[in-house]
Amino acid sequence: MNRSATHIHLVTEFILLGFPGCWEIQIFLFSLFLVAYVLTLLGNGTIICAIRWDPRLHTPMYFLLGNFAFLEIWYASSTVPNMLANILSKTKTISFSACFLQFYFFFSLGTTECLFLAVMAYDRYLAICHPLHYPTIMTGKLCRILVSLCWLTGFLGYPIPIFFISQLPFCGSNIIDHFLCDMDPLMSLSCAPAPITEFVFYTQSSLVLFFTIMYILRSYTLLLRAVFQVPSAAGRRKAFATCGSHLVVVSLFYGTVMVMYVSPTYGIPTLMQKILTVAYSIMTPLFNPLIYSLRNKDMKLALRNILVAAPACIATNNAKEILFLRILTNICCCLSCSL
C-alpha cells in the first residue's frame, strides 16, 4: 500500500476499465482473447517440446528459439489472464500490489523480448554472412551466456524505477482507462508530479528500444546484402522469405511499442492506445511461433517425426506426454499450413 500521504485517503486498489462496449461485445472480446491466448500457449509450447524431443534441433538457433518461445508464454501470461478475468468481473478491480507486480513483469518481459530479438538477429547474421565461422563463434556456451544476459538485463533494469513510482501518492481517482497497469495511466493518477522518475523510466525504455532496433536493422541490412550475392534464385527467394517474415514481426512489435513509449501519447485516443497494446502484447506472441519456427522446414520435420513416433510410444511410461504433444502438434501444424 502507498503510505506517502497519510492525511488523505490513499488508493489501495485500482479499477481497470478495459475495453468499452455492451455485454455482448465483452463476451466477444473474451472469446477472442481466450482463443488467442490458448493458441499462443499451444504454439509456443509445441516449439519447446519439439526442440526438447528432437536431438537434431539441439543447435544454437533452436536453443534461442526455445527460450524465445518460453519468453512469449510468460509475456502473454503477464496480461491476458488478468484481462480475461477483468472482462467477466463486475467490479474490475486490481489490488495496488498486484497492479505494480503486473507493471514490473510486463515491462521486464517486454525488455527481455527486445534483447532476444537482437540476439536472434545476430545469430541469423552469423549463420548467413559468416557460415564457416558460425560453429566456432555461436557455441553452446555463448548461447547460454547471451540468453542469461537477456533475462538478467530485462528483470534487473526496472525494479528501482517501478519501486519509486509505487511510492508516489495515489490519493485521488483510482480508475485506469486501460486493460493493464501501464506507465501513462498510473502517472496520470499520481497526486504529485515526478518528472525525474518519468524521465529515467522513459529514457531507459527508449535506449533499450533504440539500440536493439538499430542493431536488428543493421544485422538484416548486412544479411540482405549477402543474400543479393547468392547465385541461386531459389536461395535468394528462400532467404528473402525468411528475412521478410522476421522483419514483419519485428516491425509489428517495435512499431507499436515505439508509438506507445517513445513518442508522446497525449494526442493518441485511449482506445487506440489499447489496440496498440494488444498488437505488441498479445498478437506478437501469437504470431512469433508461426513466423520463426512453425514455417521452418526443420521444425516441421521434427513435428512430423513426433506424429509418426507417437503411436509406438503410447505404451511407454511417457504415453501421456507423447499424446499431449501429439495434440499440440496437430493443432500447430494446421495453423502453420494455413499460413
Side-chain angles (χ1 to χ4, degrees):
M1 182 186 298
N2 190 347
R3 303 180 183 277
S4 56
T6 58
H7 60 285
I8 49 179
H9 175 69
L10 299 178
V11 171
T12 59
E13 62 183 18
F14 296 101
I15 298 176
L16 296 173
L17 294 183
F19 287 92
C22 62
W23 180 245
E24 289 75 13
I25 294 178
Q26 298 298 311
I27 293 300
F28 170 75
L29 292 175
F30 176 86
S31 304
L32 181 65
F33 292 137
L34 177 62
V35 170
Y37 182 58
V38 171
L39 292 178
T40 299
L41 297 182
L42 290 174
N44 289 287
T46 301
I47 290 171
I48 295 172
C49 293
I51 292 173
R52 177 189 173 189
W53 280 74
D54 195 329
R56 291 170 298 184
L57 299 183
H58 294 174
T59 63
M61 182 183 78
Y62 290 105
F63 177 75
L64 294 174
L65 285 175
N67 278 272
F68 188 66
F70 179 75
L71 168 65
E72 293 294 66
I73 289 176
W74 285 105
Y75 190 45
S77 299
S78 68
T79 57
V80 180
N82 183 74
M83 180 174 63
L84 295 175
N86 186 68
I87 290 176
L88 299 180
S89 172
K90 293 183 178 179
T91 60
K92 299 185 181 298
T93 59
I94 183 173
S95 68
F96 188 92
S97 57
C99 181
F100 276 92
L101 192 63
Q102 182 191 59
F103 185 26
Y104 167 70
F105 277 104
F106 182 66
F107 271 87
S108 297
L109 291 166
T111 301
T112 306
E113 174 149 351
C114 292
L115 298 173
F116 258 103
L117 289 172
V119 169
M120 291 166 69
Y122 172 68
D123 174 75
R124 291 299 81 208
Y125 162 74
L126 284 179
I128 295 178
C129 298
H130 302 283
L132 298 179
H133 299 286
Y134 178 77
T136 56
I137 298 176
M138 189 57 71
T139 60
K141 181 179 179 180
L142 178 60
C143 280
R144 288 189 291 271
I145 291 174
L146 291 174
V147 168
S148 300
L149 287 175
C150 288
W151 285 102
L152 289 174
T153 304
F155 276 82
L156 295 180
Y158 285 98
I160 295 177
I162 291 179
F163 171 77
F164 280 111
I165 295 172
S166 69
Q167 299 306 299
L168 294 174
F170 295 91
C171 50
S173 173
N174 66 338
I175 298 176
I176 297 177
D177 192 5
H178 211 313
F179 61 84
L180 55 80
C181 294
D182 205 353
M183 179 64 175
D184 282 344
L186 285 172
M187 293 305 298
S188 65
L189 298 181
S190 174
C191 300
I196 296 178
T197 302
E198 285 191 77
F199 175 78
V200 170
F201 187 90
Y202 281 114
T203 300
Q204 180 177 334
S205 300
S206 299
L207 288 175
V208 170
L209 290 171
F210 177 77
F211 282 111
T212 53
I213 189 60
M214 291 303 295
Y215 183 82
I216 291 171
L217 292 177
R218 179 181 178 277
S219 297
Y220 278 108
T221 299
L222 295 174
L223 191 151
L224 290 174
R225 189 173 66 179
V227 168
F228 279 116
Q229 300 174 359
V230 175
S232 169
R236 286 197 299 270
R237 285 195 299 268
K238 179 181 178 182
F240 274 124
T242 302
C243 296
S245 60
H246 290 189
L247 286 175
V248 167
V249 173
V250 170
S251 300
L252 176 64
F253 179 78
Y254 276 95
T256 52
V257 168
M258 283 185 168
V259 170
M260 288 294 298
Y261 300 110
V262 178
S263 62
T265 59
Y266 301 110
I268 302 177
T270 304
L271 180 59
M272 182 56 64
Q273 293 185 33
K274 297 176 186 178
I275 294 173
L276 290 172
T277 306
V278 167
Y280 69 80
S281 65
I282 299 177
M283 301 312 296
T284 52
L286 173 63
F287 291 147
N288 278 340
L290 304 177
I291 296 298
Y292 279 100
S293 297
L294 296 181
R295 296 188 67 182
N296 180 288
K297 288 185 177 180
D298 293 333
M299 182 64 69
K300 284 185 175 181
L301 180 61
L303 297 177
R304 291 193 190 101
N305 290 339
I306 291 172
L307 284 173
V308 173
C313 298
I314 292 296
T316 68
N317 293 332
N318 296 327
K320 291 183 179 180
E321 293 183 25
I322 294 288
L323 184 59
F324 176 67
L325 184 55
R326 188 174 185 179
I327 294 172
L328 292 180
T329 305
N330 275 318
I331 295 174
C332 294
C333 281
C334 292
L335 286 173
S336 61
C337 289
S338 66
L339 295 179

